[in-house]
Amino acid sequence: MSSLLFHSALAALAGPLAAAGVAKLCTPPARLAWPFHSPLLRAPHGPRLAGAAEAAAGICLVLLPGRAAAALALIAYGALTAAAHAMRGRRCACFGAARLAAVGRLHVGANAMGAAVAALLLLPDVPSRPEVRGPLAVVATGLVAATVLVTDRRRAAREAIAVPCTSQVDGVHLYVSENCPACRALRQLLAAMEPARQAAVRVTVVERGSDLPPHLADMSVPCATAVDGQGTPVCEPTSGIGSVKALIDTITVGRADVTRAG
C-alpha cells in the first residue's frame, strides 16, 4: 500500500468522526434526539461526552503513527458499528440536530466498512505524516458536513411541503417518540388546544422507527395520519411539527364541543 493511499484512507476515516463530534458539541442538548438514558450517557452530558470522544478520535487519526492510528480507527468504528446495530430503527443525533433517517442497515454497514478499512491499515507500518493527513482530513470533514447539510435541508423541505387536505378530518393518529424534541414541543401545543380537539387526536409513542406503520416508515417523528369518522385514513400522511400541527387544526370540531371547551 502506497504512503499516500494509507494517509488518504486514515483521513477519510477521520472526517466522519470529526464532523459528528463537532456537530454534537455545537448543538444544544435540548435539540438533540438523544436515545441514551443511562446515568453516564443521558443528556445533557452524554452528547457532550460522545461528541468530545469523536472529535478527539478524529484528531488522533491525523496525529498518531500509522498502526496506532489504524488501531484507534478500528476501535472507534467497531464501537460505532455495535451502537448502530443496537439502535436500529431509532432516531439518533449522529450529526447533531440533522433530520436524518432512522438508524438502519446502511448505518451499520457504513460503520462496519470503516472498521474493515481500519483493520487493513493495521498491516503496513507507515510513519505519521500530519502535514499530509491534516489537509485531507479537513476536506473529508467538509464533505461529510456538506452531505449531511444537504440531506437535512432536503428532508426539511419535504416535511414543509404539506398538501392541503380537502376531505373532512374527524381525527388524527399521531406518532411521537420520547427522545424527540419536536415531539415534546408538539405535545405541549396539543395540550393547549380545546379538549374536543385533543380528544380527536390519538397519540402513539413509538420506541423505534420500525414501530411506525408501513405507510409512515420513511417519515420521521412527529408524523400523523388524518382519518374520517369511521377511522379510515384520508389525505396524505405528514410529518414535521408544522405540518402535523396544521393537520390537527383541520379536525372538524362541532360547535357544541367548542362551546363546552370555552
Side-chain angles (χ1 to χ4, degrees), residues 224-247:
T225 300
V227 297
D228 60 18
Q230 285 71 46
T232 303
V234 294
C235 302
E236 292 295 323
T238 188
S239 65
I241 184 171
S243 299
V244 173
K245 170 65 166 54
L247 181 63

Side-chain angles (χ1 to χ4, degrees), residues 54-138:
E54 288 174 326
I59 294 173
C60 289
L61 291 190
V62 173
L63 300 177
L64 289 175
R67 283 180 176 165
L72 176 61
L74 179 58
I75 293 172
Y77 279 94
L80 290 174
T81 301
H85 185 271
M87 293 189 299
R88 284 177 302 173
R90 300 180 65 181
R91 306 286 167 179
C92 179
C94 302
F95 291 94
R99 302 170 184 83
L100 302 183
V103 177
R105 287 180 293 182
L106 178 61
H107 300 79
V108 177
N111 285 308
M113 183 178 296
V117 171
L120 290 176
L121 296 179
L122 286 170
L123 299 178
D125 188 12
V126 178
S128 176
R129 292 287 301 277
E131 71 279 6
V132 175
R133 280 187 227 162
L136 293 174
V138 170

Side-chain angles (χ1 to χ4, degrees), residues 42-60:
R42 65 187 177 195
H45 50 269
R48 302 299 191 202
L49 179 61
E54 288 174 326
I59 294 173
C60 289

Side-chain angles (χ1 to χ4, degrees), residues 178-198:
E178 294 294 348
N179 65 324
C180 164
C183 299
R184 292 193 291 269
L186 181 61
R187 296 182 76 172
Q188 290 176 355
L189 292 174
L190 182 61
M193 297 178 183
E194 61 269 27
R197 194 174 302 277
Q198 294 181 39

